[in-house]
Structure formats: structure tokens, C-alpha cells
Amino acid sequence: MPDALLALQRSERFDLRALYETSRLLSTSLDLEFVLNNLLLTAMSKMLVTRGVILLYDPVEAHYRVAAAKGVKDLPEGAHVKAPVVDGTAPLGAESMPEALTGHQLALAVPIQAAHRFIGLIGLGEKATKQPYTSQELEFVASLVHITSAAVHNSLVVDELQQANRDLDSKIQEMNTLFDLSQEFNATIDRGRLAKLLSFSLMGQMTVSKHLFVLRREASEHRVEVVASQGLRTLQLDETLTDRFWGLDELTLLDDLKPGDALHVLREHGLALALPIHHQSETCGVLCLGSKMTGQPYQPSDIDLLTALANLAFVSIQNSYLVEEQIEKERLEEEMRLARQIQQKLLPDTLPTMPGTEVATLALPSREVGGDYLDLVKLDDERLLLAIADVTGKGVPASLLMANLQACLQIVVPMELKLERAVAEINRVICRNTDYDKFITFFCGIYHQSSGQFDYVNAGHNPPMLMRADGTLELLETGGLLLGVMAGMPYERGQVTLHPGDVLALFTDGVTEAMSPDEEEYGEDRLEHLLRRHRAASAEVLMDALRADIKIFTADPETLSDDLTTIVFKLVDPER
């Protein structure tokens, strides 16, 4: 046998033994780093090369990662190389390998594939002998890569599973952390405690020493409320900065800002990122964080945790506001209920009776308490006082002024002053005790049973309607200015004589200005027509007819637009 043939057979046996030993060694290991390093060293030692690299392809990021490298300083382990996927399994020479690899003194690249999956490339430099690769060497490298690709694939799958398990463990830990934090956040509505809890969570989970958490509050200055802040005592939140906050749509790294951005002031104070919090498609809060004390960059998992934590804090703080508002609402409702009870006690609980007269009243406030007032006081067996008033405004302020008027009337009545003098005294007290923009329209009159005479003073009030038994109408207008305009104003007394069958209707503008669904007012003409049509009925029946007519006209709204107050006073035959 010739020596050359013998040498060739020996070389082939050596190649087969090397392939077998490498395959046996690598197939027993699932350590990706061990498998790749041994594959690379075996190929380099067999080919007598000093430069070698293994690149693993990442299909998600569409680039190669240097997983193992020997003698290639410009391709350190962990570096990324942007290059396309290589088709086929045939070795690639320097002229046919991807351009991204040609500048690194690599002369040969062999694709690594397993189970129809492209894994990466093994690249080798020139041989130490400066000789080109022979077909036998190329076949050996291809065979070496082929028989070890399964080991690489299995190690890669194990490594991916281990990483997935680590990610899953991390997510479980994050979920447990968020669950524990949610219990603590939901256990209190104290915003001070919530702010401290958020600060401790950020420092513990993210290892940051600086943070800022702001919420959008339309009622506060600059529409912002600082919920939590650490290490930012000198930061001033002006309107330009807060407006920029509410324009954030996504996570913003402050180092990536364009010149002139209002958020630059945050970076000057050591903050690194701004994370907006969205609610109903609007930015309702912003969480700003400084750099980690470890110096590590923020990872996507960190951003996910921060987003969940910020939303958890936002919901808890919003709930604290809602609870406070509910408590305040219940407190106000209770106060209004008590005010309503007090105001009801200011109105006559029983109507005084007098032979030959009928009286009916109606008092409907537009709110819990109102600014309308009516009163009937039996001065003696012969005289009956009727009073009605309307205070400007509604609600509690109007009811307080109404109570003031009622107290004045109760004081003045026993003094037996002339009616016009009594009204002047009431006006003086009202002017002294109220602001310049608060007024009262007021009407009061005294009926004398023996003569049928009715003395009255109208202080700017809607003129009461006196519907005679024969259907003619008289308006009681004599008096003066409404109460509260100017102290010392004189008032004039009017006088009419009432006869059996006459009806006197005292009312506030809530009656005539009651609105229909078409925004039409009830009006004095409609009231006059109703009085004329029902003048023969009793005072109670007439009042029921008026109330029913207004209910139909307004379509019975749940809330009146104004207080509605009426007194119907009718003379009847005493014998009847």
C-alpha cells in the first residue's frame, strides 16, 4: 500500500475518531456554554486556526449574538452582529459569507441547523499554514457541525427553558409583590400613608433614590397634585411643565428629549424617565424616576412592574378622593336634612282659623331648603296677618336670610306698629344684616274681620291677585321698594275691602315662572284664568287645582327650577 494512501486512511480514521469523541462528549451535556466552547475549540484545533467565533441567531431581534469567541478581539462575547439568515448547510468561503462578517478576518463560515431550525454560524479564520481549506477539511467541519448541531439545539432549548423559568419566577415574584402591595394600598384611604407606601415600594423594588408621582386635579393650582416626591425639594412645577405632563402618551426617557423640551428640568434634577398613567384615554398622572442606584438600566420587566404599581397607586388615591367626597356628600345631606326640618318649623304648622274665611297654603322648595317664606299670624280675634316673601338665590344662603326675615316679623308684630312702619323697620334690619347683593321681595297684609278691610304693604313683591266674586281682578301693588336695597326707605299702605266670595291669591315668582318642557313660563295670565275659573270653589279645592295645573304644565319635573309658594285666602258666608 503506498505511503500516501496509508496516510490518508490514518487521517480519515483520526477525523472519525475526533468526530466520535466530540459527539459523545457534547451529547452528554446540556450546558450551552460548554457545548459551544468545545465545538469551537475542536474545529479550531483540527483546522489549525487561531481565530474562531460562534454566532447564535435571535429571530425576535433579527440579529446574531456572539456566544463564543477565541482570538477575535473585535467580536467579544455578548456583542450583536446585524446579518441575514443564511440558507442551506454548505460552508461559506470569505467571498460568500455575510458582509457583516467579512471585516473580522474570517475565512470560513458554516451554518448550524437542527430540526429545520437555523441556529447560527461558526466562523473560522485563516489556517496557521496560510493554506486554503481542503475539501477534506471542509467536509470534516461540516460533519462536525452537523453531528453536534443536535447537542447545540438541545442545549439552546434547555437554556431557553431555563430563561423562561427564570422569567416566569420573576413574573410570579412580581405578581406576589403586587398582590401584597395591593392589599396594603387597599387597606387605607390616608393619602399620606399611600404616598409613603409608594415611595418605599419604589425604593425597594427599583432601588431609586429620586422619584416624583403627580396626579391631574382640575380643582388644584396648575391642575396637578404632588402625591409622592423624594429627593426633589427644589423642583418647581410650573404650568408649562404640568401641561407637558398631560401631553405624554408613552414612556419617555429623559436623555432622549429634544432641545427645548419642558421635561429637561426633570433631567436637571436627576430624573431619568417619565411614565404616564392613562385613564379613559387621558393622561391622568405621571410617575418620574431617577436612575437606579445599582447603575443598571431599566428593563422591559421593570417598566411593566412600574406601570402596574403606578396604576395601583392611582386607583387607591382616586378611591381615597371618592370616599372623602362621599363622606362630605353624606355630611352635607344630613346638614340639609336638618336645615329642612328647621325651616319647616319656621312655617306655620297649623293654619289659624277665623269665621268667614278659608285659607290654603303651598310651599315647595326647589332644593332641600328654599328662600321663599309664608306666614299667617292671628293677631287677635278680629285680625289675621298674611305674609309672603321671596329671597334672592336658592339653597342655604337664601334660607338663612328667610329665617332672618321671619325673626324680624315675629319681633315687629307684637309692637303694634302701623303696617307701613313695621315694614320699614324690617327693611332697616335686613339692610344692616345682609350684603348689598341680597334682596327680599315682601308682601304682608292684615285682614279685619269686623269690617272686611284688608290693609297691606307690597315691598317689591309680585302683586297678589284679588279675584272678586263677580270675576273682576284687582292687583295689590301699593307699597315701596323691595327689602334690603336701602335703609330708611318709606313705605305706603294700601287698602281694599273684601266681600264674601272674593279670593286673594298671594304667590312667589316660582308660580308664574314655572317652566314647561318647551321653556314656556306659566305666566300671570294663566294664573288669573285659573282663579277666575275656580273662584267659586273652596280655598283648598282652588289650591289643589292650581297645583295640578302647574304639575301638568311643567310635566312634573323631579326638581323645580325655583321655589314655589302660594297662599289662597277666601271670604265665605260666615253662616256657611
Side-chain angles (χ1 to χ4, degrees), residues 427 430-431 434-436 438-440 482-487 491:
N427 177 60
I430 296 298
C431 288
T434 59
D435 295 331
Y436 66 91
K438 298 297 182 183
F439 310 109
I440 303 175
L482 38 72
L483 306 181
V485 176
M486 184 180 298
Y491 289 89

Side-chain angles (χ1 to χ4, degrees), residues 179-192:
F179 177 75
D180 293 339
L181 289 174
S182 67
Q183 289 184 313
E184 295 190 48
F185 272 110
N186 293 329
T188 180
I189 59 171
D190 183 347
R191 282 194 294 280

Side-chain angles (χ1 to χ4, degrees), residues 36-44 52-54 68-70 122-124:
L36 294 179
N37 281 321
N38 275 276
L39 171 60
L40 183 60
L41 288 174
T42 301
M44 290 175 63
V53 63
I54 293 181
K70 304 294 181 183
I122 178 172
L124 300 175

Side-chain angles (χ1 to χ4, degrees), residues 100-155:
L101 301 179
T102 56
H104 298 284
Q105 299 180 13
L106 297 177
L108 179 66
V110 180
I112 305 174
Q113 293 195 22
H116 304 290
R117 174 185 175 183
F118 177 72
I119 298 175
L121 297 169
I122 178 172
L124 300 175
E126 292 183 347
K127 294 167 58 176
T129 61
K130 303 299 182 180
Q131 297 297 318
Y133 287 96
T134 65
S135 58
Q136 183 181 356
E137 291 171 333
L138 293 177
E139 183 179 354
F140 174 82
V141 173
S143 298
L144 177 64
V145 171
H146 178 71
I147 65 175
T148 58
S149 60
V152 174
H153 178 264
N154 293 338
S155 300

Side-chain angles (χ1 to χ4, degrees), residues 339-351:
R340 177 63 175 163
Q341 290 180 351
I342 294 172
Q343 188 177 47
Q344 285 294 108
K345 292 184 179 298
L346 296 178
L347 301 176
D349 52 353
T350 58
L351 299 179

